[in-house]
């Protein structure tokens, strides 16, 4: 049975004899020209910004980030809009006082409105003596009206 | 002249330093440190590019681009792996990008007559063609570990780091790659 850990000798030899290439005479000078150009681009404040952009922002798929932020924002707006539409009051809101006479009237008017909308006070009505079957220990018997 | 002498003496001083020290200096933009760091892997990266792209000019371009990217991304290298392994990963990603571009160009230029191409093919040794054909038959997931293992002598852990896959996967892929390669090789020899 053949082992999968290594190749038979003829294949191993083919791999071994595969030509290796050497660098051309201009290879090094070209690398350094490109590296020098790159380091020039990284000089100064603009260079720093560029480097930060290349390293930090390019690497995190900025467009995906922007896309998700925008779509998230749109979705939130949609939810808010829907909520506003559902809870929109059917009667118009009372106008706010705009000038000194209406401002002067506002206080008593609001007070009256406040009074009118208050539920009537609950009063304890004691039961009549003949309605009571028996006298309670505390002597209280009746209802809230 | 004076500059080149001082650069050479700096290089000598730095040659025996630890990788971490070289990296620190290279990050600070010290050219001699950068030369040593990149120079150690120059031949390996160039040949890796050639083995993937099969074109000397494209390989040189890819190797140079790898070194520029390495310089650019040097601040991100945290030393969690060997510097050479990190460089291999950069080179591999870049070569795969370039290979896809080259393949698209080749497909669009397939109908055009190309004498240089045919001469180039004629000059190739039969074994080399067989080897390249057999490698081409393998999917990328099997071809890359095989190249790193057979031509670059990387161990399983190093291949796992370069390809960012578990060591167990490297072993199984290498086994599958050898098995498939042998089948294609034998089929070619029978023809």
């Amino acid at each position: 049975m053949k082992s999968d850990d290594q190749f038979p000798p003829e294949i191993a030899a083919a791999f071994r004899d595969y030509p290796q290439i050497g660098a051309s005479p201009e290879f090094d000078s070209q690398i350094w020209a490109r590296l020098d150009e790159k380091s020039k681009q990284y000089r100064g404040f603009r260079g720093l910004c560029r480097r930060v952009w290349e390293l930090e922002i390019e690497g995190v798929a900025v467009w995906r980030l922007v896309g998700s932020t925008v779509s998230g924002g749109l979705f939130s707006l949609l939810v808010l809009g829907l909520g506003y539409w559902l809870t929109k009051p059917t009667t118009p809101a009372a106008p706010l006082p705009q000038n000194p006479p209406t401002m002067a009237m506002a206080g008593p008017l609001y007070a009256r409105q406040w009074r009118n909308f208050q539920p009537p006070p609950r009063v304890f009505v004691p039961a009549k003596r003949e309605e009571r079957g028996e006298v309670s220990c505390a002597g209280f018997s009746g209802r809230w009206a | 002249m004076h500059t080149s002498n001082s650069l050479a003496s700096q290089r000598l001083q730095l040659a025996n330093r630890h990788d971490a020290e070289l990296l620190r200096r290279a990050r600070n933009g010290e050219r001699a440190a950068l030369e040593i760091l990149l120079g150690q892997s120059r031949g390996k990266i160039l040949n890796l590019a050639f083995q993937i792209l099969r074109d000397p000019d494209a390989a040189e371009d890819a190797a140079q681009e790898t070194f520029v990217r390495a310089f650019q991304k040097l601040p991100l290298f945290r030393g969690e792996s060997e510097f050479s392994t990190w460089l291999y990963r950069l080179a591999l990603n870049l070569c795969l990008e370039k290979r896809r571009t080259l393949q698209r160009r080749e497909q669009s230029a397939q109908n055009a007559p190309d004498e240089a191409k045919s001469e180039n093919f004629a000059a190739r040794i039969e074994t080399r063609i067989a080897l390249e054909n057999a490698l081409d038959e393998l999917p990328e997931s099997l071809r890359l570990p095989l190249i790193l293992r057979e031509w670059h002598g990387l161990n399983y852990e190093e291949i796992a780091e370069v390809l960012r896959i578990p060591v167990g996967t490297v072993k199984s892929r290498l086994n599958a790659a050898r098995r498939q390669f042998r089948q294609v090789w034998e089929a070619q020899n029978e023809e």
Side-chain angles (χ1 to χ4, degrees), chain A residues 2-8 10-11 14-16 18-24 26-28 30-32 34-36 38-39 42 51 54-56 58, chain B residues 31 34-35 38 42 46-47 50-51 54 60-61 63-65 67-68 71-73 75-76 127-128 131-132 146 150-151 175 178-179 181-182 185-186:
Chain A
K2 285 176 187 173
S3 163
D4 284 335
D5 285 348
Q6 49 194 6
F7 278 129
E10 75 270 15
I11 300 180
F15 270 99
R16 211 173 35 247
Y18 191 82
Q20 299 267 312
I21 62 161
S24 67
E26 306 87 41
F27 184 75
D28 282 337
Q30 283 170 351
I31 286 182
W32 289 110
R34 288 167 85 160
L35 285 176
D36 286 342
K38 202 76 191 164
S39 57
Y42 288 157
R51 191 161 208 180
E54 285 179 0
L55 286 180
E56 303 295 334
E58 262 185 4
Chain B
R31 184 170 169 156
L34 204 59
E35 266 187 38
L38 301 183
R42 196 186 71 160
L46 183 62
N47 274 294
F50 178 65
Q51 285 146 7
R54 313 262 170 81
E60 279 210 354
D61 190 52
Q64 287 173 1
E65 187 62 36
F67 292 137
V68 174
F71 170 68
Q72 192 184 342
K73 295 190 171 187
L76 295 181
T127 319
R128 182 181 157 180
L131 183 87
E132 286 178 351
L146 196 63
E150 294 299 326
W151 273 324
N175 282 342
R178 289 200 179 99
R179 204 168 38 245
F181 184 95
R182 209 157 42 208
W185 181 270
E186 282 163 6

Side-chain angles (χ1 to χ4, degrees), chain A:
Chain A
M1 189 182 156
K2 285 176 187 173
S3 163
D4 284 335
D5 285 348
Q6 49 194 6
F7 278 129
E10 75 270 15
I11 300 180
F15 270 99
R16 211 173 35 247
D17 297 340
Y18 191 82
Q20 299 267 312
I21 62 161
S24 67
E26 306 87 41
F27 184 75
D28 282 337
S29 58
Q30 283 170 351
I31 286 182
W32 289 110
R34 288 167 85 160
L35 285 176
D36 286 342
E37 192 192 338
K38 202 76 191 164
S39 57
K40 259 186 218 162
Q41 288 175 352
Y42 288 157
R43 265 182 218 148
F45 180 71
R46 282 182 68 183
L48 181 76
C49 293
R50 188 191 177 111
R51 191 161 208 180
V52 168
W53 171 265
E54 285 179 0
L55 286 180
E56 303 295 334
I57 301 172
E58 262 185 4
V60 293
V62 67
W63 296 117
R64 210 178 300 170
L65 192 72
V66 169
S68 65
T69 310
V70 168
S71 59
L74 284 176
F75 182 72
S76 308
L77 278 177
L78 190 74
V79 169
L80 282 174
L82 197 69
Y84 176 75
W85 180 70
L86 285 174
T87 57
K88 196 177 169 184
T90 46
T91 52
L96 286 171
Q98 300 283 329
N99 46 43
T102 51
M103 280 169 81
M105 287 161 66
L109 282 170
Y110 282 138
R112 195 177 70 185
Q113 196 173 12
W114 176 259
R115 264 198 319 276
N116 290 348
F117 281 92
Q118 288 304 303
R122 298 178 78 196
V123 185
F124 186 77
V125 182
K128 288 176 184 166
R129 197 168 278 275
E130 56 269 26
E131 286 175 1
R132 281 186 251 157
E134 56 188 47
V135 179
S136 72
C137 304
F140 280 118
S141 180
R143 60 188 172 85
W144 287 99

Side-chain angles (χ1 to χ4, degrees), chain B residues 81-94:
Chain B
S81 61
E82 288 286 316
F83 181 73
S84 57
T85 312
W86 181 72
L87 213 54
Y88 265 119
R89 190 162 56 227
L90 283 182
L92 206 61
N93 288 337
L94 201 116

Side-chain angles (χ1 to χ4, degrees), chain B:
Chain B
M1 186 70 191
H2 173 72
T3 323
S4 64
N5 278 345
S6 65
L7 205 63
S9 65
Q10 260 187 322
R11 241 180 267 145
L12 266 176
Q13 283 175 354
L14 284 168
N16 297 323
R17 301 253 182 178
H18 193 256
D19 262 10
E21 173 71 4
L22 283 173
L23 271 167
R24 192 185 60 77
R25 286 173 174 235
R27 276 197 198 110
N28 291 338
E30 216 173 288
R31 184 170 169 156
L34 204 59
E35 266 187 38
I36 294 173
L37 267 180
L38 301 183
Q40 285 167 349
S41 312
R42 196 186 71 160
K44 288 179 194 166
I45 297 297
L46 183 62
N47 274 294
L48 177 70
F50 178 65
Q51 285 146 7
I52 294 174
L53 299 170
R54 313 262 170 81
D55 177 70
D57 293 333
E60 279 210 354
D61 190 52
Q64 287 173 1
E65 187 62 36
T66 301
F67 292 137
V68 174
R69 273 200 195 177
F71 170 68
Q72 192 184 342
K73 295 190 171 187
L74 210 53
L76 295 181
F77 177 68
R78 294 192 186 92
E80 286 157 359
S81 61
E82 288 286 316
F83 181 73
S84 57
T85 312
W86 181 72
L87 213 54
Y88 265 119
R89 190 162 56 227
L90 283 182
L92 206 61
N93 288 337
L94 201 116
C95 290
L96 292 176
E97 273 173 36
K98 275 198 182 291
R99 189 182 156 98
R100 280 172 207 131
T101 320
L102 283 174
Q103 275 173 345
R104 274 199 293 274
R105 271 191 218 148
E106 270 173 18
Q107 277 167 3
S108 61
Q110 231 169 14
N111 296 330
D114 190 351
E115 282 179 35
K117 197 172 163 184
S118 58
E119 279 172 24
N120 192 20
F121 273 124
R124 280 185 184 171
I125 310 162
E126 202 179 324
T127 319
R128 182 181 157 180
I129 297 171
L131 183 87
E132 286 178 351
N133 287 344
L135 276 176
D136 286 343
E137 289 294 316
L138 300 182
E140 203 171 271
S141 58
L142 300 184
R143 190 170 59 239
L144 297 178
L146 196 63
I147 288 177
L148 292 172
R149 178 75 178 165
E150 294 299 326
W151 273 324
H152 296 268
L154 265 58
N155 60 34
Y156 295 138
E157 286 77 18
E158 286 168 334
I159 297 172
E161 272 182 26
V162 172
L163 300 176
R164 288 192 168 158
I165 51 174
V167 177
T169 312
V170 172
K171 287 180 187 171
S172 61
R173 284 191 189 175
L174 272 172
N175 282 342
R178 289 200 179 99
R179 204 168 38 245
Q180 278 194 33
F181 184 95
R182 209 157 42 208
Q183 283 168 0
V184 179
W185 181 270
E186 282 163 6
Q188 278 182 347
N189 283 352
E190 279 167 17
E191 286 168 11

